[in-house]
Amino acid sequence: MDKFEKLTGIAAPMPLVNIDTDMIIPKVFLKTIKRSGLGVNLFDEMRYDRQGNEIPDFILNQPAYRESEILVAGDNFGCGSSREHAPWALKDFGIKAVISTSFADIFYNNCFKNGILPIVLPQEAVDVLMKDAEKGANARMIVDLEAQTVTTSDGEVFEFEVDSFKKHCLLQGLDDIGLTMEKAASIDSFEAKASAERPWV
Amino acid sequence: MSPKTLYDKIWDAHVAHESDDGTCLLYIDRHLVHEVTSPQAFEGLRMTGRTVRAPDKTIAVPDHNVPTTPGREDPANMTEDSAIQVAALDTNAKEFGIHYYPVSDIRQGIVHIVGPEQGWTLPGMTVVCGDSHTATHGAFGALAHGIGTSEVEHVLATQTLIQKKSKNMKVEITGKLRPGVTAKDITLSVIGATGTAGGTGYVIEYCGEAIRDLSMEGRMTVCNMAIEGGARAGLIAPDEKTFEYVMGRPHAPKGAQWEAALAWWKTLYSDDDAHWDKVITLKGEDIAPVVTWGTSPEDVLPITDVVPAPESFKGGKVEAAKRSIDYMGLTPGQKLSDIQIDTVFIGSCTNGRIEDLRAAAEILKGKKVKEGMRAMVVPGSGLVRAQAEEEGLADIFKEAGFEWRLAGCSMCLAMNPDQLAENERCASTSNRNFEGRQGYKGRTHLVSPAMAAAAAITGHLTDVREMM
């Protein structure tokens, strides 16, 4: 997995609440057996018309935001299905961090498995960051995972919370499965005990 | 010993390792797998030379993109990309030696219907699947939730998940339901009350007289949509109804093992003085048959109500409601029962079980769907379909003008050919009314099976109580 340490980039404002995983990557693009190549279809139905032409008003189609690396989004971002295609599409497009007041649980976990940092901040902070993101390409936001801060283009700093284990894995770009396999002895002994206690499982 | 919730008890029984920071390896008893979210996980195993740790606890079934029309055993009758995913599942199931129900098997169906039906899902288990509606299995008092593809790979390789414990929420539905009100109306009404982010960070336990009164099918409908309320999982404590449902199923314990299992299952309830981080109580008698008007499952109102004004909401929801009403082609103040529909879909892991088909058939008996209506029943499994045929329900549907399809997810997420065309409007027993969910620019109103049947007859969203 790619490491996430510190990012300075363009943030795109997407104030809509309840942006669901069907919006992030419509199901027609789930019929792939690969993880890559989904960026072109990120937000497909909001981003393109039926003929495949870009809808100019859509934020990521605007010249200032085409190279965005951060999204500042409305509440409950990533709700809906468990499809990991949503973070795959964000990642493939180039989004490395998403900021919102809350995220759906499965999407939140999926982000960390793909080197994307989801950041939860209170409404007042997200409001300030949304305004900062609206300034466009000349305004670079800074996300520092080690320090757990987001800094606006004006230098205003917001601290965020993140689970220490998830932070560690993201900073180091660690492979979860490899880490768990180091604990194989614990799994073995649990399995032996559980199958004695609950042999019907 | 300190009092525990049901969630606490199941959690504690499955922690294989706990780190100092509280990060746990949670042991997984059942891993359900389908064709859309698993190919990359199996590929990951191959690339790293890993294997499936517990193939006997892993069950695969194609459901998301399989056609629901005859001849689907032949890949030539599928779109090429769907056929590739189904073929990949077939190969992976055989290569890694996991349990598998292909479309040619009568036991095939939606993974969350097959699991309980075959007795794979049992009380007190941990159950995961690369699908958010895994919450369904919580109806058995199993801790069940959806996971992403990286986590699917993690479970395949290690039979564990890296987890931190969620908070406990109690949702109590007191008293009795009124006639015409179903499990679907309960679960939608709860989401209407809490919002789609109301459950974020929690595992919900549903309890109260109205929940106890529900059949297992109804309980599965309630837990199925816990995810729409943002919760990691929904749970209902197992009771005699649960044990009766499970007993005799192909993979349920038998003989002495049954007795041992039953003894443990009977300890699976929340202690009287257990701690709840949040409690929500609804009165059963206050719940009406409901419909959704917008593009979020929280956009729920009784059928007797009207399309709301966006200004009646607060914060970011004002803009979202404007967008929803525009997308749905509705006008604030319009009576919900005046909304004309052209499509009815009965099926999905929310409402594709035998009791759902019975409820719809009860309304449809001796009646015809409105002229021009496209109406479809997609049973949740081959076995549900066979039972419905045996009970004469299939004939009622067919005589009323419904298409009688083969089992799968179908128009719930429209990954197969069953889709809405642009601006088509559907009364649907599924679980999500998101933009484009049932087809590009398609419009979805979520309802119970009885309400869907009523709408099929009248051609507009209808209060089913008028037809009872």
Side-chain angles (χ1 to χ4, degrees), chain A residues 18 20 22 27 30-32 34 50 76 80-82 84 105 110 163-164 175 180 188 190-191 198, chain B residues 13 21 27 40 50 53 82 85 131 148-150 154 164 196 232 298 413 415 432 434 436-437 440:
Chain A
N18 297 332
D20 58 66
D22 279 76
K27 72 250 165 192
L30 307 191
K31 294 188 182 186
T32 171
K34 294 190 226 148
R50 208 53 174 149
N76 199 27
S81 104
S82 66
E84 198 162 317
D105 187 50
N110 283 343
D163 176 79
S164 57
D175 164 26
T180 297
D188 289 343
F190 175 87
E191 210 165 42
R198 298 190 293 275
Chain B
D21 71 347
Y27 191 82
Q40 294 87 348
R50 291 169 179 148
R53 182 183 167 102
S82 294
Q85 284 192 330
D131 186 277
T149 298
S150 294
H154 192 280
K164 271 208 173 155
T196 49
R232 173 164 292 173
E298 69 190 12
L413 84 167
M415 278 194 76
R432 291 198 175 123
F434 295 160
R437 174 79 178 180
Y440 182 76

Side-chain angles (χ1 to χ4, degrees), chain B residues 248-388:
Chain B
R249 304 242 162 216
H251 296 279
K254 312 273 185 313
Q257 288 213 353
W258 170 263
E259 295 305 324
L262 196 60
W264 187 57
W265 295 344
K266 286 183 174 172
T267 68
L268 298 176
Y269 53 83
S270 291
D271 297 329
D272 284 342
D273 38 5
H275 172 75
W276 299 98
D277 299 290
K278 194 169 173 179
V279 177
I280 288 179
T281 306
L282 297 185
K283 285 185 189 163
E285 65 198 39
D286 289 349
I287 299 174
V290 292
V291 300
T292 61
W293 51 268
T295 55
S296 167
E298 69 190 12
D299 300 338
V300 177
L301 283 172
I303 179 66
T304 48
D305 218 317
V306 299
V307 177
E311 298 73 28
S312 64
F313 296 97
K314 287 189 188 124
K317 188 69 186 169
V318 177
E319 277 308 310
K322 270 186 203 162
R323 184 183 168 98
S324 282
I325 289 169
D326 179 55
Y327 179 89
M328 293 296 288
L330 300 173
T331 314
Q334 182 180 4
K335 285 171 73 177
L336 294 171
S337 58
D338 282 347
I339 297 173
Q340 304 290 313
I341 55 149
D342 44 54
T343 309
V344 169
F345 171 69
I346 297 176
S348 84
C349 58
T350 313
N351 283 128
R353 285 170 284 270
I354 190 69
E355 187 178 273
D356 302 313
L357 305 195
R358 285 182 194 139
E362 180 69 27
I363 301 295
L364 287 166
K365 202 168 186 175
K367 304 214 172 69
K368 296 276 182 204
V369 304
K370 177 94 171 173
E371 203 182 326
M373 180 72 60
R374 175 187 177 203
M376 190 193 294
V377 184
V378 182
S381 72
L383 290 174
V384 169
R385 188 173 194 268
Q387 188 176 352

Side-chain angles (χ1 to χ4, degrees), chain B residues 409-428:
Chain B
C409 299
S410 180
M411 203 189 269
C412 174
L413 84 167
M415 278 194 76
N416 77 347
D418 307 335
Q419 301 180 8
L420 293 182
E422 226 166 297
N423 296 335
E424 277 186 340
R425 189 184 293 281
C426 182
S428 178

Side-chain angles (χ1 to χ4, degrees), chain A residues 76-140:
Chain A
N76 199 27
F77 188 85
C79 59
S81 104
S82 66
R83 61 187 70 166
E84 198 162 317
H85 309 68
W88 293 338
L90 287 164
K91 182 85 186 296
D92 198 52
F93 179 89
I95 301 293
K96 299 186 182 75
V98 187
I99 302 167
S100 179
T101 43
S102 77
F103 293 88
D105 187 50
I106 304 174
F107 174 83
Y108 185 80
N109 286 324
N110 283 343
C111 282
F112 284 97
K113 312 287 182 191
N114 291 283
I116 297 175
L117 175 62
I119 299 170
V120 180
L121 283 169
Q123 187 70 55
E124 308 78 61
V126 173
D127 288 345
V128 172
L129 294 168
M130 194 71 75
K131 282 238 157 26
D132 194 49
E134 284 165 2
K135 290 177 186 165
N138 294 324
R140 302 289 167 125

